[in-house]
Amino acid sequence: MQIKNNRGFRRILLRGLHKVSLEVGWLSLAKIIPIPTGTIFNPDILDVRIYEWRTWQHTKHNGFGLVMDAVLSPVLLLLIFSYLFGGAMAGSTGAYIQFLLPGILILTVVPMTVYSGTTICSDITKGVYNRFRTLPFWQPASVLGSILTDGLRYTVGVIVALGTGLALGFRPEGSVIQIVLAIAFILFFAFSVSWIFALIGVAAKRPETVSGSSMIAIYPLLFASNILVDSSTMPKWTGILIDLNPISMAAATVRGLMNGTATLPVIMTGIGVCVVIITIFTPLTLYLYQTKNER
């Protein structure tokens, strides 16, 4: 048995097993150190925090992907859609950016939620999942930690997109509180959608399958929505279908908050969509994840 340090982890390599290793690291250390009863440190929360740290280490080592998805992508989307379609849609780029930007914020974060599924699927295919199953910790922490850490990616993307929009002339008419609520809702919506792709990641056999199948589902929903075009300008039956799209409901909530025109039904509809997604996909994902080896 050979022990060596590996970027903050203590890795035990088991000789004789082909490409098999066990990363003990901080999780084992946390389980060795006793936590006094009556303290504010819940062991399950500590497990989640450790896996958040683990996911963040992987994210830092893939800085190029983070820059492409959270920085370059929202900038390019805003420049392309505002200058290419601005004149045709609203008569000018300045007028169109007022309608476009809230939708672009949704368009920025939703494709990034696929990473939640690919991360989980990658751990399973590489055998990391089997190692985690042998460790004495709250098993859902490995899923929750990954999904919660992806919130940092969404936050960067939203900030970059909003900053680019302000530079292009976007001026929110809502109050500061409404703008903050809009950003919080975007992150909440991304968190809820992440569970859909986390479920796909648990069920899929390869990370490439997760990304490929997810994109096939995402982009029709994104572009068949009110992100780029107001549904009121469409034929009646088309507008009804577009408004029933969950992406449209989320975009309408963000647009209403940033423009200061959001009504309670619009806000509750947006929140309700998130709650329904979480209620359905979170327990299903965790159940399939914890029983994967039993099927």
CSV table of all heavy atoms in Angstrom, one decimal, residues 128-164:
chain,number,residue,atom,x,y,z
A,128,VAL,N,-15.7,6.7,-8.7
A,128,VAL,CA,-15.7,7.5,-7.5
A,128,VAL,C,-17.0,7.2,-6.6
A,128,VAL,O,-16.9,7.2,-5.4
A,128,VAL,CB,-15.6,9.0,-7.8
A,128,VAL,CG1,-15.6,9.8,-6.6
A,128,VAL,CG2,-14.3,9.2,-8.6
A,129,TYR,N,-18.1,7.0,-7.3
A,129,TYR,CA,-19.3,6.7,-6.6
A,129,TYR,C,-19.2,5.5,-5.7
A,129,TYR,O,-19.6,5.5,-4.6
A,129,TYR,CB,-20.4,6.5,-7.7
A,129,TYR,CG,-21.7,5.9,-7.1
A,129,TYR,CD1,-22.6,6.7,-6.4
A,129,TYR,CD2,-22.0,4.5,-7.3
A,129,TYR,CE1,-23.8,6.1,-5.9
A,129,TYR,CE2,-23.1,4.0,-6.8
A,129,TYR,CZ,-24.0,4.8,-6.1
A,129,TYR,OH,-25.2,4.2,-5.6
A,130,ASN,N,-18.6,4.5,-6.2
A,130,ASN,CA,-18.4,3.2,-5.4
A,130,ASN,C,-17.5,3.5,-4.2
A,130,ASN,O,-17.7,2.9,-3.1
A,130,ASN,CB,-17.8,2.1,-6.3
A,130,ASN,CG,-18.8,1.7,-7.3
A,130,ASN,OD1,-20.0,1.6,-7.1
A,130,ASN,ND2,-18.2,1.3,-8.5
A,131,ARG,N,-16.5,4.4,-4.3
A,131,ARG,CA,-15.7,4.7,-3.2
A,131,ARG,C,-16.5,5.5,-2.1
A,131,ARG,O,-16.3,5.3,-1.0
A,131,ARG,CB,-14.5,5.5,-3.7
A,131,ARG,CG,-13.7,4.9,-4.7
A,131,ARG,CD,-12.7,5.8,-5.4
A,131,ARG,NE,-12.3,5.3,-6.7
A,131,ARG,CZ,-11.7,6.1,-7.6
A,131,ARG,NH1,-11.5,7.3,-7.4
A,131,ARG,NH2,-11.3,5.6,-8.8
A,132,PHE,N,-17.3,6.4,-2.6
A,132,PHE,CA,-18.1,7.2,-1.7
A,132,PHE,C,-19.1,6.3,-0.9
A,132,PHE,O,-19.3,6.6,0.3
A,132,PHE,CB,-18.9,8.2,-2.5
A,132,PHE,CG,-18.1,9.4,-3.0
A,132,PHE,CD1,-18.7,10.3,-4.0
A,132,PHE,CD2,-16.9,9.6,-2.6
A,132,PHE,CE1,-18.0,11.3,-4.5
A,132,PHE,CE2,-16.1,10.7,-3.1
A,132,PHE,CZ,-16.7,11.5,-4.1
A,133,ARG,N,-19.6,5.3,-1.6
A,133,ARG,CA,-20.5,4.4,-0.9
A,133,ARG,C,-19.9,3.7,0.3
A,133,ARG,O,-20.6,3.2,1.2
A,133,ARG,CB,-21.1,3.4,-1.9
A,133,ARG,CG,-21.9,4.0,-3.0
A,133,ARG,CD,-23.2,4.5,-2.5
A,133,ARG,NE,-24.1,3.4,-2.2
A,133,ARG,CZ,-25.3,3.5,-1.6
A,133,ARG,NH1,-25.7,4.7,-1.3
A,133,ARG,NH2,-26.0,2.4,-1.4
A,134,THR,N,-18.6,3.5,0.3
A,134,THR,CA,-17.9,2.8,1.4
A,134,THR,C,-17.5,3.7,2.5
A,134,THR,O,-17.1,3.2,3.6
A,134,THR,CB,-16.6,2.2,0.8
A,134,THR,OG1,-15.7,3.2,0.4
A,134,THR,CG2,-16.8,1.3,-0.3
A,135,LEU,N,-17.7,5.0,2.4
A,135,LEU,CA,-17.4,6.0,3.4
A,135,LEU,C,-18.6,6.3,4.3
A,135,LEU,O,-19.7,6.4,3.8
A,135,LEU,CB,-16.8,7.3,2.8
A,135,LEU,CG,-15.6,7.1,2.0
A,135,LEU,CD1,-15.2,8.5,1.3
A,135,LEU,CD2,-14.4,6.6,2.8
A,136,PRO,N,-18.3,6.5,5.6
A,136,PRO,CA,-19.4,6.7,6.5
A,136,PRO,C,-19.9,8.2,6.6
A,136,PRO,O,-19.5,9.0,7.5
A,136,PRO,CB,-18.8,6.3,7.9
A,136,PRO,CG,-17.4,6.6,7.7
A,136,PRO,CD,-17.0,6.4,6.3
A,137,PHE,N,-20.6,8.6,5.6
A,137,PHE,CA,-21.1,10.0,5.6
A,137,PHE,C,-22.5,10.0,5.0
A,137,PHE,O,-23.0,9.0,4.5
A,137,PHE,CB,-20.2,10.9,4.8
A,137,PHE,CG,-20.3,10.7,3.3
A,137,PHE,CD1,-21.1,11.4,2.5
A,137,PHE,CD2,-19.5,9.7,2.7
A,137,PHE,CE1,-21.2,11.2,1.1
A,137,PHE,CE2,-19.6,9.5,1.3
A,137,PHE,CZ,-20.4,10.2,0.5
A,138,TRP,N,-23.2,11.1,5.1
A,138,TRP,CA,-24.6,11.3,4.6
A,138,TRP,C,-24.5,11.2,3.1
A,138,TRP,O,-24.0,12.2,2.4
A,138,TRP,CB,-25.2,12.5,5.1
A,138,TRP,CG,-26.6,12.7,4.8
A,138,TRP,CD1,-27.7,11.8,4.9
A,138,TRP,CD2,-27.2,13.9,4.2
A,138,TRP,NE1,-28.8,12.4,4.5
A,138,TRP,CE2,-28.6,13.6,4.0
A,138,TRP,CE3,-26.8,15.1,3.7
A,138,TRP,CZ2,-29.5,14.5,3.5
A,138,TRP,CZ3,-27.6,16.0,3.2
A,138,TRP,CH2,-29.0,15.7,3.1
A,139,GLN,N,-25.0,10.2,2.4
A,139,GLN,CA,-24.7,10.0,1.0
A,139,GLN,C,-25.3,11.1,0.1
A,139,GLN,O,-24.6,11.4,-0.9
A,139,GLN,CB,-25.3,8.6,0.6
A,139,GLN,CG,-24.6,7.4,1.2
A,139,GLN,CD,-23.1,7.3,0.7
A,139,GLN,OE1,-22.8,7.6,-0.5
A,139,GLN,NE2,-22.2,7.0,1.6
A,140,PRO,N,-26.5,11.7,0.3
A,140,PRO,CA,-26.9,12.7,-0.5
A,140,PRO,C,-26.0,14.0,-0.6
A,140,PRO,O,-26.2,14.8,-1.4
A,140,PRO,CB,-28.3,13.1,0.1
A,140,PRO,CG,-28.8,11.9,0.7
A,140,PRO,CD,-27.5,11.2,1.3
A,141,ALA,N,-25.1,14.0,0.4
A,141,ALA,CA,-24.2,15.2,0.4
A,141,ALA,C,-23.4,15.3,-0.9
A,141,ALA,O,-23.0,16.4,-1.3
A,141,ALA,CB,-23.2,15.1,1.6
A,142,SER,N,-23.0,14.2,-1.5
A,142,SER,CA,-22.2,14.3,-2.7
A,142,SER,C,-22.9,14.9,-3.8
A,142,SER,O,-22.4,15.5,-4.7
A,142,SER,CB,-21.7,12.9,-3.0
A,142,SER,OG,-22.8,12.0,-3.2
A,143,VAL,N,-24.3,14.7,-3.8
A,143,VAL,CA,-25.1,15.3,-4.9
A,143,VAL,C,-25.4,16.8,-4.6
A,143,VAL,O,-25.2,17.6,-5.4
A,143,VAL,CB,-26.4,14.5,-5.1
A,143,VAL,CG1,-27.3,15.2,-6.1
A,143,VAL,CG2,-26.1,13.1,-5.4
A,144,LEU,N,-25.8,17.0,-3.3
A,144,LEU,CA,-26.1,18.4,-2.9
A,144,LEU,C,-24.9,19.3,-3.0
A,144,LEU,O,-25.0,20.4,-3.5
A,144,LEU,CB,-26.7,18.4,-1.5
A,144,LEU,CG,-28.1,17.9,-1.3
A,144,LEU,CD1,-28.4,17.7,0.2
A,144,LEU,CD2,-29.1,18.8,-1.9
A,145,GLY,N,-23.8,18.8,-2.6
A,145,GLY,CA,-22.6,19.6,-2.6
A,145,GLY,C,-22.2,20.1,-4.0
A,145,GLY,O,-21.9,21.2,-4.3
A,146,SER,N,-22.4,19.1,-5.0
A,146,SER,CA,-22.1,19.4,-6.4
A,146,SER,C,-23.0,20.5,-6.9
A,146,SER,O,-22.6,21.4,-7.6
A,146,SER,CB,-22.1,18.2,-7.2
A,146,SER,OG,-22.0,18.4,-8.6
A,147,ILE,N,-24.3,20.3,-6.7
A,147,ILE,CA,-25.4,21.2,-7.2
A,147,ILE,C,-25.2,22.6,-6.6
A,147,ILE,O,-25.4,23.6,-7.3
A,147,ILE,CB,-26.7,20.6,-7.0
A,147,ILE,CG1,-26.9,19.3,-7.9
A,147,ILE,CG2,-27.8,21.6,-7.3
A,147,ILE,CD1,-28.2,18.6,-7.7
A,148,LEU,N,-25.0,22.6,-5.3
A,148,LEU,CA,-24.9,23.9,-4.7
A,148,LEU,C,-23.7,24.7,-5.1
A,148,LEU,O,-23.7,25.9,-5.3
A,148,LEU,CB,-24.9,23.8,-3.1
A,148,LEU,CG,-26.2,23.3,-2.5
A,148,LEU,CD1,-26.0,23.0,-1.0
A,148,LEU,CD2,-27.3,24.3,-2.7
A,149,THR,N,-22.6,24.0,-5.4
A,149,THR,CA,-21.4,24.7,-5.8
A,149,THR,C,-21.6,25.3,-7.2
A,149,THR,O,-21.0,26.3,-7.6
A,149,THR,CB,-20.2,23.7,-5.8
A,149,THR,OG1,-20.1,23.2,-4.5
A,149,THR,CG2,-18.9,24.5,-6.1
A,150,ASP,N,-22.4,24.6,-8.0
A,150,ASP,CA,-22.6,25.1,-9.4
A,150,ASP,C,-23.3,26.5,-9.3
A,150,ASP,O,-23.3,27.2,-10.3
A,150,ASP,CB,-23.5,24.2,-10.2
A,150,ASP,CG,-22.7,22.9,-10.7
A,150,ASP,OD1,-21.5,23.1,-10.8
A,150,ASP,OD2,-23.4,21.9,-10.9
A,151,GLY,N,-23.9,26.8,-8.2
A,151,GLY,CA,-24.5,28.2,-8.0
A,151,GLY,C,-23.5,29.3,-8.2
A,151,GLY,O,-23.8,30.4,-8.6
A,152,LEU,N,-22.2,29.0,-7.9
A,152,LEU,CA,-21.1,30.0,-8.1
A,152,LEU,C,-21.0,30.3,-9.6
A,152,LEU,O,-20.8,31.4,-10.0
A,152,LEU,CB,-19.8,29.5,-7.5
A,152,LEU,CG,-19.8,29.3,-6.0
A,152,LEU,CD1,-18.5,28.7,-5.6
A,152,LEU,CD2,-20.0,30.6,-5.3
A,153,ARG,N,-21.1,29.2,-10.4
A,153,ARG,CA,-21.0,29.4,-11.9
A,153,ARG,C,-22.2,30.2,-12.4
A,153,ARG,O,-22.0,31.1,-13.2
A,153,ARG,CB,-21.0,28.0,-12.5
A,153,ARG,CG,-20.7,28.0,-14.0
A,153,ARG,CD,-21.0,26.6,-14.6
A,153,ARG,NE,-20.4,25.5,-13.9
A,153,ARG,CZ,-19.2,25.0,-14.1
A,153,ARG,NH1,-18.5,25.5,-15.1
A,153,ARG,NH2,-18.8,24.0,-13.4
A,154,TYR,N,-23.4,30.0,-11.9
A,154,TYR,CA,-24.5,30.7,-12.3
A,154,TYR,C,-24.4,32.2,-11.9
A,154,TYR,O,-24.8,33.1,-12.6
A,154,TYR,CB,-25.8,30.1,-11.7
A,154,TYR,CG,-26.0,28.7,-11.8
A,154,TYR,CD1,-26.6,27.9,-10.8
A,154,TYR,CD2,-25.5,28.0,-12.9
A,154,TYR,CE1,-26.8,26.5,-10.9
A,154,TYR,CE2,-25.7,26.6,-13.1
A,154,TYR,CZ,-26.3,25.9,-12.1
A,154,TYR,OH,-26.4,24.5,-12.2
A,155,THR,N,-23.9,32.4,-10.7
A,155,THR,CA,-23.7,33.8,-10.2
A,155,THR,C,-22.8,34.6,-11.1
A,155,THR,O,-23.1,35.8,-11.4
A,155,THR,CB,-23.2,33.8,-8.7
A,155,THR,OG1,-24.1,33.0,-7.9
A,155,THR,CG2,-23.1,35.2,-8.2
A,156,VAL,N,-21.7,34.0,-11.4
A,156,VAL,CA,-20.7,34.7,-12.3
A,156,VAL,C,-21.4,35.0,-13.7
A,156,VAL,O,-21.3,36.1,-14.2
A,156,VAL,CB,-19.5,33.8,-12.5
A,156,VAL,CG1,-18.5,34.5,-13.6
A,156,VAL,CG2,-18.7,33.7,-11.2
A,157,GLY,N,-22.1,34.0,-14.2
A,157,GLY,CA,-22.8,34.2,-15.5
A,157,GLY,C,-23.8,35.4,-15.4
A,157,GLY,O,-23.9,36.2,-16.4
A,158,VAL,N,-24.6,35.4,-14.4
A,158,VAL,CA,-25.6,36.5,-14.2
A,158,VAL,C,-25.0,37.8,-14.1
A,158,VAL,O,-25.4,38.8,-14.7
A,158,VAL,CB,-26.5,36.1,-13.0
A,158,VAL,CG1,-27.4,37.4,-12.7
A,158,VAL,CG2,-27.4,34.9,-13.3
A,159,ILE,N,-23.9,37.9,-13.3
A,159,ILE,CA,-23.2,39.2,-13.1
A,159,ILE,C,-22.6,39.7,-14.4
A,159,ILE,O,-22.7,40.9,-14.7
A,159,ILE,CB,-22.2,39.1,-12.0
A,159,ILE,CG1,-22.8,38.8,-10.6
A,159,ILE,CG2,-21.3,40.3,-11.9
A,159,ILE,CD1,-21.9,38.6,-9.5
A,160,VAL,N,-22.0,38.8,-15.1
A,160,VAL,CA,-21.4,39.2,-16.4
A,160,VAL,C,-22.4,39.6,-17.4
A,160,VAL,O,-22.3,40.7,-18.1
A,160,VAL,CB,-20.5,38.0,-17.0
A,160,VAL,CG1,-20.1,38.4,-18.4
A,160,VAL,CG2,-19.3,37.8,-16.1
A,161,ALA,N,-23.5,38.9,-17.5
A,161,ALA,CA,-24.6,39.2,-18.5
A,161,ALA,C,-25.2,40.6,-18.1
A,161,ALA,O,-25.5,41.4,-18.9
A,161,ALA,CB,-25.6,38.1,-18.5
A,162,LEU,N,-25.5,40.7,-16.8
A,162,LEU,CA,-26.1,42.0,-16.3
A,162,LEU,C,-25.2,43.2,-16.6
A,162,LEU,O,-25.6,44.3,-17.0
A,162,LEU,CB,-26.5,41.9,-14.9
A,162,LEU,CG,-27.3,43.1,-14.3
A,162,LEU,CD1,-28.5,43.3,-15.0
A,162,LEU,CD2,-27.6,42.8,-12.8
A,163,GLY,N,-23.9,43.0,-16.3
A,163,GLY,CA,-22.9,44.1,-16.5
A,163,GLY,C,-22.8,44.4,-18.0
A,163,GLY,O,-22.8,45.6,-18.3
A,164,THR,N,-22.8,43.4,-18.8
A,164,THR,CA,-22.8,43.7,-20.3
A,164,THR,C,-24.0,44.4,-20.8
A,164,THR,O,-24.0,45.3,-21.6
A,164,THR,CB,-22.6,42.3,-21.0
A,164,THR,OG1,-21.5,41.6,-20.6
A,164,THR,CG2,-22.5,42.6,-22.5
